[in-house]
Amino acid sequence: MTKLVQFGVIARNFSSSSAMQAAIKNVTVIGGGLMGSGIAQVSAQAGQNVILVDLSPEVLAKSQKSIGANLGRVAKKMYKDKPQDGEKFVSESMARIKTSTDPAEAAKSADLVVEAIVENMSVKHKLFSQLDGVAPNHTIFASNTSSLSINEICSVVKRKDRFGGLHFFNPVPVMRLLEVVRGAETSDATYKSMMEWGKAVGKTCITCKDTPGFVVNRLLVPYICEAIRLYERGDASARDIDTAMKLGAGYPMGPLELADYVGLDTNKFILDGWHKKYPNQPLFNPIPLLDKLVAEGKLGVKAGEGFYKYDKK
Ligand SMILES: CCCCCCCC(=O)CC(=O)SCCNC(=O)CCNC(=O)[C@H](O)C(C)(C)COP(=O)(O)OP(=O)(O)OC[C@H]1O[C@@H](n2cnc3c(N)ncnc32)[C@H](O)[C@@H]1OP(=O)(O)O
Ligand SMILES: NC(=O)C1=CN([C@@H]2O[C@H](COP(=O)(O)OP(=O)(O)OC[C@H]3O[C@@H](n4cnc5c(N)ncnc54)[C@H](O)[C@@H]3O)[C@@H](O)[C@H]2O)C=CC1
């Protein structure tokens, strides 16, 4: 699936903002967790210079390790008969990734900042208002948010024309989609740059307005929630619900398996946020079983138990 993509946008310096075509060669990814490490990996694979930032040096060390291992999986497939070329691919990609614990410093050399920190509006506001003061004029800011409004996130920055959503999917190196989200003030030039960059890092891009959950999560969250309600009512077993959707609808994972994979706390966080914002939408109503599992710490794969039991990693 992952192809080595030659990055083809010519680097240029721009002093003015709105009419420019940003030249993305240097990307700063903020948040070195699950998503940030995947975004850093696919960017480096595509020839970008990457700075991966996290507040925690331990997280950065863990990310580097997992990126190395995942690049190894990619190399094994891409260079099946040429293991030496595979090793070169891994070491060159790794060499393009620098790490930092200082978001402001790392934004100073960025053409694009992709934010993948915790899903919390006030934490994202704090980060972006700090970066807005130090990043170069031409730098585009993007959020990988799953469920928050791009317009609301960018309300704290001056560069609203150079702000958008770049929503990746988990696991980033495998999932081929990138949702490119236009906020109310995202300029045409910024949108075009984001689309080109998405293609350059090997993704198929679709466009969506700034609506809750964009395309995928707006459909996926109610689907998963309906599956939980079906199970809660005792209409079918968890295993049968999952088997039904895998064999009857061709999904790679059933809805309850996917809920465990994403994390039940994340499911609940998104549902609660949308319920608060749209109290009259019954699809977003709280689910007592989901609340109970989260309260018991049964958060899915990462906790060793959710709808199913897992070996703890
Ligand atoms: C209420 C909803 C709330 C949403 C909350 C927020 C979430 C979001 O905002 C948006 C999201 O991300 S939603 C989740 C989207 N992801 C999915 O739906 C995943 C569905 N599952 C799958 O595609 C496969 O089971 C999957 C690919 C995961 C695993 O496939 P398999 O079961 O076949 O397992 P493997 O055989 O291990 O892997 C298949 C191939 O992929 C390679 N691979 C797996 N992980 C990798 C990784 N991390 N890096 C690089 N390569 C990787 C693996 O090597 C294998 O390759 P092949 O050997 O060539 O087949
Ligand atoms: N987990 C998923 O399947 C997906 C998540 N997302 C979104 O991506 C973002 C990140 O999610 P994950 O990677 O799952 O979270 P995660 O918890 O694995 O990683 C977040 C990282 O951000 C770091 N961090 C927190 N505040 C920071 C700050 N101010 N500066 C620098 N680093 C900071 C944390 O130390 C942590 O390592 C969220 O907005 C989430 O909604 C989007 C698509 C899929």
Side-chain angles (χ1 to χ4, degrees):
M1 63 22 37
T2 316
K3 275 188 265 164
L4 181 60
V5 183
Q6 206 60 38
F7 189 75
V9 184
I10 300 158
R12 281 180 247 159
N13 273 327
F14 294 94
S15 51
S16 76
S17 57
S18 56
M20 74 187 183
Q21 156 97 50
I24 301 170
K25 183 68 192 155
N26 301 299
V27 57
T28 292
V29 180
I30 307 198
L34 183 67
M35 296 304 290
S37 59
I39 298 166
Q41 178 187 329
V42 296
S43 305
Q45 269 173 236
Q48 299 264 295
N49 302 313
V50 180
I51 305 181
L52 180 61
V53 183
D54 203 284
L55 300 177
S56 151
E58 290 78 28
V59 167
L60 288 172
K62 204 175 143 204
S63 297
Q64 275 179 309
K65 217 173 141 194
S66 78
I67 292 171
N70 286 334
L71 280 168
R73 287 162 96 163
V74 174
K76 239 184 178 171
K77 271 179 262 170
M78 274 175 65
Y79 300 98
K80 233 187 288 167
D81 307 317
K82 295 181 180 163
Q84 275 178 343
D85 289 358
E87 277 170 35
K88 190 163 167 260
F89 162 80
V90 174
S91 63
E92 285 180 356
S93 300
M94 288 300 283
R96 286 188 207 105
I97 305 176
K98 304 210 164 24
T99 59
S100 167
T101 51
D102 184 346
E105 194 53 40
K108 285 183 186 164
S109 57
D111 301 317
L112 170 69
V113 171
V114 182
E115 169 273 312
I117 65 169
V118 284
E119 187 78 336
N120 177 304
M121 187 62 81
S122 62
V123 181
K124 290 192 196 281
H125 275 168
K126 206 169 150 210
L127 175 73
F128 278 119
S129 41
Q130 181 196 19
L131 300 185
D132 201 29
V134 292
N137 197 34
H138 76 276
T139 306
I140 293 174
F141 288 175
S143 175
N144 182 52
T145 180
S146 295
S147 65
L148 303 175
S149 155
I150 294 298
N151 291 329
E152 220 174 308
I153 298 174
C154 83
S155 63
V156 296
V157 302
K158 292 203 183 84
R159 62 183 81 211
K160 294 186 176 55
D161 58 323
R162 282 151 286 151
F163 200 109
L166 287 173
H167 185 219
F168 287 85
F169 295 83
N170 177 29
V172 178
V174 180
M175 303 306 283
R176 291 160 54 203
L177 184 69
L178 176 63
E179 290 180 327
V180 177
V181 183
R182 292 193 77 149
E185 294 182 53
T186 307
S187 70
D188 288 345
T190 298
Y191 166 68
K192 196 165 169 244
S193 291
M194 292 197 303
M195 291 291 282
E196 280 175 7
W197 181 79
K199 249 189 257 165
V201 300
K203 301 300 176 193
T204 298
C205 300
I206 63 111
T207 307
C208 185
K209 286 186 188 164
D210 183 28
T211 58
F214 317 126
V215 175
V216 173
N217 286 347
R218 180 63 182 80
L219 298 176
L220 203 54
V221 172
Y223 156 70
I224 289 178
C225 290
E226 279 301 281
I228 300 172
R229 293 184 183 108
L230 192 78
Y231 174 62
E232 188 179 41
R233 289 194 299 269
D235 292 343
S237 70
R239 190 51 74 197
D240 282 354
I241 291 169
D242 284 336
T243 301
M245 292 313 290
K246 284 190 284 192
L247 303 188
Y251 286 29
M253 282 178 176
L256 302 176
E257 286 171 337
L258 185 55
D260 274 358
Y261 180 70
V262 167
L264 300 190
D265 49 343
T266 306
N267 282 266
K268 177 173 157 54
F269 179 85
I270 295 175
L271 193 65
D272 289 351
W274 289 357
H275 177 61
K276 206 167 154 203
K277 219 168 166 183
Y278 307 96
N280 297 325
Q281 171 53 271
L283 288 172
F284 303 156
N285 280 346
I287 308 173
L289 175 61
L290 181 63
D291 292 346
K292 178 173 176 286
L293 289 170
V294 172
E296 289 169 355
K298 294 175 181 164
L299 306 181
V301 178
K302 65 185 167 191
E305 188 172 351
F307 291 102
Y308 300 99
K309 288 200 163 120
Y310 304 87
D311 290 334
K312 265 199 181 173
K313 285 183 187 155

